[in-house]
Amino acid sequence: MGRFSRLRLLAHAATVGALLGCLRAPLGLDWTQLVAVQASSAALFRAAGLLALVVALDPARAALRDGPRPLWLAGLLAGYAGQGLLLEAAPGSRAGFALLLLLGTVLARTLAGRRLVGTELEPRLEEPGRRERVGLVAIGAGLVLALEALARETRLFTLGTTVDDAVLGSVFLGLLWLGALAFGPLLARLGSERTRLAAGAALSAPAALAGLAFLAALTPEGLYAYLRRLELPLGSLRGLDARLGGPLGLTRIPAFDGATIGMHWTSAILAAAALVAPAFLLGGTLGAARSFARVRPLVLGAALGLLALPFVIARAGAPLAPEELGEASFAWSVVVVGASSAAAGLALVALGEARARGAVLALALVVAALPWLLPRAQPWSFSPWAARRVEPELVWPLPEGLLTVEPARGGGRQVTLDRKLLTPTLEELEADARRLRTAFALIPVEQRGPGLRALFVGQLTPERAAVLATLGLAAVDRTAAWHRAMPAVEERLFAGGPPPGEVLAPAVARERLDDGDYGWVVAAPAAGPIVTWKSEAREIWSPAEGPRLTDLALEGQTVGVAWIAGDARLVPGSELAPLLLDVDRLEHLSLGLVRGPFRDELGAHGPLMRIEAARGPSARELLGTMPQQRSFALERANAAALVAPEAPELARGLALHFAAQRLSSPYETRAQQIELDEEALRAFAAAVPEVLDPLTVEVWEGLAWLCRAKRMPELALVYLEPLAERHAPWPVLDQALAAAYREMLEPAEAMRFLDRLRSTTPDDLWAWIESAACAEERGDPAQAQAFLDEALRRPVVRTPIEERALGLALARLGDRRGLPLLEKSLREAPDDAEVRAALGLPPPEGDPHPH
C-alpha cells in the first residue's frame, strides 16, 4: 500500500471515528429527556453511527481493499478520541445531527477512494454468502450485547458524563489497536478467513465475563486495594520523574485512591482492566482480517444489537430487594443472551464450512456454554468509593441505567440513576422548593387554580409534592426516562400512597405537550455521582451534564421552566436564554431556562438573564481536575458567562462571588465554607433596584444569613444597614443587624432593630428572646422579664431550639418556668453542657471544659 493510500485509509478511519463520537444522544432532545436520555433514543443515535459505518466500509474501495489493518484502527481511535476529548464539537439540533450523519457518511465514502473493478479486487475480496452474512450479523448483535453489559458496569466507576464516555470508548479502541498489532499476525495464520473472523468475534462475547469478574471484585475494600497496588509502582516513577525535572509529567498525576474516581488516569486504568480481554481478542481478530467484506455484516449486527439492547435489558432487569442482590446477576444475564446469539451465528457460519465444520460447531457450543461454566459474576456497584457504605432499599437495572432507592444522609430516602442523584439532599430542600415557586410565578394569575394541568419532569418526592400542593395544583402528572420504575419508587417514598396525577411514558407526555394539554411544565435538575472527600462530615456530589439541545418549543399557552444546576457542564459556545436565577444563600447557582408565554411583570421573578456563549474547562482540563474541585470551576465559568442587560452590576457581582469560592474543610459549617468577596458585595449594593424583586431579596437575605453565621458584624453594618433602613421593615435583615450590634456590645442599637422586628413579626419568638437578652445587657431585668412573659404567651408552636433558648433566658432571671423547658432539652441532648449548668448538674463525662 502506497503512502497516499495509507493517508486515505487513515483519514477514512478518523472521519468514521469522529462521526461515531459525535453520534451520542444528548440531553435536551425534548422536555422529557432533560434529566436523562431514554434508552431507545441513545440506542438509535449510536446505531445510526454504526449504520453509517456499514455504508462507509465498501470493501471494493481502493483504500479499503486490504482490510482493517492496525493503521485503520489507529485512525479510528484518533478520530474518536479527538472528537470527544479535544474538539468536543457536536450539532445543536436534531436537524444538525441528521445533516452530520449524511455528510459524515458521504465524506467517509469519498475518502475511501474509487471503486475497484475486475482483477483489481483479486485476490482480496471474497464476498461472504447469504448464510454466512446472516451468521455474522447474529455474531455482531451478540457481541455488542455482551460488550454493552460490560460497558454499563464499567461506566459506574466514572462520573458518567460524555467526557467519561469518551475516555472509556478511547480506551476500548486503543486496546483494539494494540490487540491487532500484537495478535493479528499470529491469528492470520490460523484457519480460513471465514472461520477465523467468525470464531474470534463470537468468542469475544463471553470474554466480557472476565471484565465482569474484575468489576465484581471492586467492592469498597477491593477497589482501594487495587488502586493502592497501582500507586506503588507509579509512586516510584513519579519520584524518578521529579528528580529528572518532570519531563514525563508524572508529578502531576495525583495519588490513586477513591478521591480520584472520575479523573482520566483512574478511569483509563479501571476501564483497561475491565475491557482488556474482549478488546484484545476482538482486536486480534480484526487485525487478522484481510477484507472489510466480512466486517460489514458484523457492524450491521452490532447496530441491530444496539437497537435490541433496551428490550433485552427490560426483560433481564427486575426490581430487587437488598436480600436478592446476592442471587441475581443482571449483567451476566445480558452476556448470556449475547453469547447465545453469537454462538447461533457461529453455528450458521459453520454450516457453510466444509473442512472444519465439526470444530467450528464445537466452538459454537463452547461460546454458548462458557457463561454457564464460569463462576457467575455479580458486579453490583453502588459507588464503593463513597465515605459511607451505600445499602439500597430497591435496585432496578433499567435500560436507562441502574436505578436505586437508598437511605439519604440526614434521614429520608434518595433516588439515583446510574449513581446520579435525582432528588434533592436535605440541605437543598429549601432551594428546591423555592425553584418550584419561582417557576410557578411565571403563570399569569388568571390561569392559576385547581384547573391548571401541570407536568413534572423528574422524580417527585413528598417534599416536592407538598410544595406543588401549596401552589394550588390538585394533581400533577410526572414523567422521565425511568418512568416504568416510578410507581415502585413512589411506593417507597410516599408513606400514604402516591400523590394525585398520572405517571406517564415520555411518548405520552410529549404527545400531550404537543397538544397543549398542560399549562405548566417544570423539569428538576440532577447531580452527578458522589465523590470522595475522605470524610463523612459532608457529601459532595459531582456536577451533572447540562442539556446540549435547548430548543424546547411549547405549544399553546404552556409555560415551562427547565432548571439546570449552576455547576452543570454546558456545551462550549451554547446559548441559554431567557434564564431565571436562584442563588441558594449565595452557596449554589441554579439556572432556569424559560419557554412559553410567561408572565413578565416587574418584580415577578427578578431580572431575566442569559448565557450568550457558555465557556468552561475543556475536556482535558476537567478530567485533570480533582472531582471535588470541579463544581467550583464550572460554577465559576457559568456565572462569568451570565449577561443581564437590566442588571449588569448584579451579573458582575455573581461572577465575582462565585469566582471567589474554594473547596473548604468538610468540618467547617455550611456558612464557613462560603467565601465572601467585598468587590462582589459592592456590586450587589449597586444593583439594588428601587422596587425589590425576589432575586434581589434572595441575594441579600443570603448575605444576612452569612453575616450572622460567619459572625461578621462589620460587614452587616456596612452593607445590610443602609438597605434595611431604605426598605424597612425587612425582618431577615433586621435580625442580622440586631445580632451584629449585640456582638459589638451595643444593645441599645440592637434594640432599635428588635423593636421593629417585634412589631412586624410578633410571633417570632427569637425577637422576644433577643429583646430580653438586650434588656439584661442594659441592666433592666424587669423589661427582660416582660419580654419573656410575652414570649410564653405567644400562641405558636416552639421549636426545640426556641424552647432551649427560652428556658436558658428564664433560668438566668431565676424564673422557674424555664426548668421544664430545660429538662425537655436535656432529654433530647443529655450532653448539652450549658443546659446542665443551668439546671445545676455536673458537666457531662469527658467534657474538656467543665464549668
Side-chain angles (χ1 to χ4, degrees):
M1 179 182 288
R3 176 180 298 179
F4 184 68
S5 294
R6 285 197 295 271
L7 288 176
R8 272 187 174 276
L9 183 66
L10 194 62
H12 174 275
T15 301
V16 170
L19 185 61
L20 291 176
C22 282
L23 288 173
R24 297 191 188 100
L27 289 173
L29 283 168
D30 54 63
W31 278 92
T32 68
Q33 300 185 81
L34 279 164
V35 185
V37 175
Q38 279 185 267
S40 56
S41 298
L44 183 62
F45 271 69
R46 296 177 62 198
L50 290 180
L51 291 174
L53 178 57
V54 172
V55 176
L57 289 182
D58 185 353
R61 299 278 175 172
L64 304 180
R65 71 182 298 269
D66 290 324
R69 298 157 54 92
L71 181 64
W72 187 83
L73 292 173
L76 195 66
L77 168 62
Y80 185 91
Q83 187 280 327
L85 301 176
L86 297 177
L87 299 178
E88 298 186 82
S93 65
R94 289 173 179 264
F97 276 101
L99 182 62
L100 172 69
L101 181 64
L102 176 62
L103 294 180
T105 306
V106 172
L107 177 61
R109 282 185 66 87
T110 303
L111 289 171
R114 66 180 182 88
R115 288 183 63 89
L116 304 178
V117 294
T119 56
E120 292 179 301
L121 294 174
E122 299 297 337
R124 294 287 185 184
L125 185 60
E126 179 189 346
E127 286 287 351
R130 181 178 179 183
R131 179 183 296 166
E132 184 182 354
R133 289 198 301 271
V134 172
L136 290 172
V137 167
I139 292 172
L143 174 60
V144 84
L145 288 175
L147 290 178
E148 281 297 316
L150 176 56
R152 276 173 59 105
E153 300 299 327
T154 307
R155 196 169 186 262
L156 294 177
F157 287 86
T158 70
L159 299 185
T161 65
T162 54
V163 175
D164 294 290
D165 291 346
V167 172
L168 298 191
S170 300
V171 168
F172 180 72
L173 292 175
L175 292 173
L176 282 184
W177 173 64
L178 291 176
L181 281 175
F183 306 112
L186 298 176
L187 294 178
R189 303 173 186 174
L190 302 178
S192 65
E193 175 93 349
R194 180 202 306 263
T195 57
R196 183 174 61 241
L197 184 68
L203 278 171
S204 300
L209 293 172
L212 292 181
F214 167 73
L215 295 177
L218 296 185
T219 60
E221 297 79 11
L223 174 64
Y224 279 89
Y226 182 75
L227 292 176
R228 292 305 299 168
R229 284 200 299 271
L230 293 174
E231 175 60 25
L232 292 176
L234 180 63
S236 302
L237 293 174
R238 194 186 288 118
L240 176 62
D241 188 39
R243 288 192 294 272
L244 295 176
L248 302 178
L250 297 179
T251 55
R252 295 192 297 271
I253 302 176
F256 284 122
D257 57 21
T260 63
I261 291 292
M263 295 189 69
H264 40 28
W265 287 102
T266 306
S267 295
I269 287 172
L270 292 176
L275 301 172
V276 63
F280 269 15
L281 185 53
L282 181 60
T285 301
L286 292 176
R290 297 184 300 169
S291 169
F292 280 106
R294 290 185 169 86
V295 175
R296 292 179 84 186
L298 270 179
V299 178
L300 176 61
L304 297 178
L306 282 176
L307 293 175
L309 182 64
F311 304 98
V312 174
I313 294 176
R315 293 295 300 270
L320 301 170
E323 59 273 11
E324 298 175 293
L325 295 179
E327 302 173 1
S329 180
F330 150 78
W332 177 85
S333 301
V334 178
V335 171
V336 167
V337 175
S340 301
S341 175
L346 184 56
L348 274 177
V349 173
L351 294 178
E353 184 69 39
R355 291 184 299 176
R357 180 180 302 171
V360 178
L361 285 174
L363 186 60
L365 183 61
V366 170
V367 170
L370 265 177
W372 302 93
L373 298 175
L374 297 175
R376 183 180 301 189
Q378 297 171 334
W380 294 108
S381 172
F382 304 120
S383 303
W385 57 88
R388 62 185 180 93
R389 188 180 294 270
V390 178
E391 297 178 349
E393 299 176 2
L394 175 70
V395 178
W396 195 337
L398 297 171
E400 289 74 20
L402 181 67
L403 183 131
T404 68
V405 178
E406 55 199 53
R409 185 172 181 265
R413 295 180 176 88
Q414 62 192 23
V415 184
T416 72
L417 182 70
D418 261 3
R419 306 309 304 150
K420 297 175 183 176
L421 188 63
L422 304 177
T423 52
T425 63
L426 185 64
E427 292 181 341
E428 295 169 340
L429 289 178
E430 183 181 344
D432 189 69
R434 187 172 52 249
R435 286 193 292 262
L436 291 176
R437 288 193 291 266
T438 302
F440 191 77
L442 301 179
I443 303 292
V445 177
E446 62 274 11
Q447 295 181 18
R448 302 177 190 178
L452 178 67
R453 297 192 64 185
L455 177 67
F456 182 84
V457 181
Q459 183 57 56
L460 200 61
T461 63
E463 294 81 10
R464 286 171 169 171
V467 174
L468 295 172
T470 62
L471 297 175
L473 297 170
V476 177
D477 295 343
R478 49 265 188 206
T479 188
W482 61 94
H483 70 97
R484 74 188 68 203
M486 276 188 177
V489 171
E490 290 181 354
E491 184 179 346
R492 295 270 180 176
L493 297 181
F494 292 86
E502 298 180 71
V503 173
L504 303 177
V508 177
R510 287 193 292 268
E511 183 178 352
R512 292 187 183 181
L513 280 173
D514 291 341
D515 292 340
D517 290 352
Y518 293 107
W520 185 58
V521 55
V522 62
I530 196 169
V531 299
T532 297
W533 189 229
K534 304 176 183 178
S535 167
E536 293 187 38
R538 183 185 181 192
E539 284 188 346
I540 302 177
W541 296 83
S542 62
E545 204 87 47
R548 181 176 292 273
L549 306 187
T550 55
D551 185 19
L552 303 168
L554 289 172
E555 298 297 327
Q557 296 300 307
T558 306
V559 175
V561 178
W563 284 105
I564 305 165
D567 62 355
R569 185 165 190 266
L570 304 176
V571 180
S574 62
E575 299 180 5
L576 283 84
L579 289 174
L580 297 173
L581 290 192
D582 181 86
V583 287
D584 182 18
R585 295 187 175 184
L586 292 175
E587 183 179 21
H588 297 299
L589 178 68
S590 294
L591 312 174
L593 185 63
V594 185
R595 291 291 182 268
F598 57 91
R599 180 185 181 205
D600 193 13
E601 300 173 8
L602 182 62
H605 42 68
L608 291 174
M609 298 193 183
R610 65 176 183 269
I611 290 179
E612 294 180 340
R615 54 185 182 271
S618 67
R620 288 184 301 165
E621 291 170 338
L622 195 70
L623 289 169
T625 302
M626 293 289 287
Q628 303 81 13
Q629 302 276 9
R630 293 183 187 178
S631 288
F632 299 101
L634 291 167
E635 207 160 39
R636 186 181 307 128
N638 292 338
L642 287 172
V643 177
E646 300 175 10
E649 283 299 303
L650 179 58
R652 188 175 77 89
L654 291 172
L656 290 169
H657 173 74
F658 285 105
Q661 303 312 303
R662 299 288 184 272
L663 184 66
S664 304
S665 166
Y667 297 99
E668 291 182 344
T669 65
R670 182 178 178 184
Q672 287 171 341
Q673 296 186 45
I674 303 173
E675 308 295 335
L676 287 177
D677 179 84
E678 287 221 40
E679 184 62 29
L681 298 183
R682 285 191 282 271
F684 290 148
V688 176
E690 288 297 322
V691 179
L692 295 178
D693 58 69
L695 180 57
T696 300
V697 170
E698 186 184 341
V699 168
W700 285 96
E701 291 189 352
L703 179 58
W705 170 73
L706 282 172
C707 286
R708 287 183 63 188
K710 292 170 76 72
R711 302 188 67 177
M712 293 182 166
E714 297 86 356
L715 281 182
L717 300 188
V718 171
Y719 292 102
L720 298 184
E721 188 166 10
L723 200 60
E725 297 292 0
R726 178 178 159 192
H727 294 280
W730 194 337
V732 175
L733 268 61
D734 288 340
Q735 284 182 355
L737 287 165
Y741 273 115
R742 277 201 64 205
E743 190 161 354
M744 297 184 73
L745 304 180
E746 296 187 31
E749 288 296 316
M751 189 64 80
R752 184 163 59 89
F753 292 98
L754 289 170
D755 289 343
R756 190 161 65 196
L757 191 60
R758 293 194 310 275
S759 64
T760 54
T761 56
D763 288 335
D764 183 357
L765 292 183
W766 182 90
W768 296 98
I769 297 169
E770 285 294 293
S771 297
C774 278
E776 281 187 79
E777 291 165 0
R778 295 170 64 184
D780 191 347
Q783 188 183 35
Q785 185 69 58
F787 285 136
L788 295 179
D789 289 343
E790 186 61 33
L792 289 171
R793 282 195 295 268
R794 285 285 144 190
V796 296
V797 178
R798 294 190 290 261
T799 66
I801 294 176
E802 290 171 337
E803 287 191 336
R804 178 185 182 277
L806 185 56
L808 289 172
L810 289 167
R812 284 197 304 270
L813 294 175
D815 191 331
R816 297 187 62 81
R817 289 178 297 175
L819 295 180
L821 300 177
L822 294 176
E823 290 169 353
K824 182 178 179 182
S825 296
L826 189 64
R827 287 195 295 270
E828 295 174 355
D831 294 335
D832 191 323
E834 191 175 1
V835 171
R836 295 179 71 91
L839 290 172
L841 299 174
E845 293 184 12
D847 186 357
H849 304 293
H851 298 282

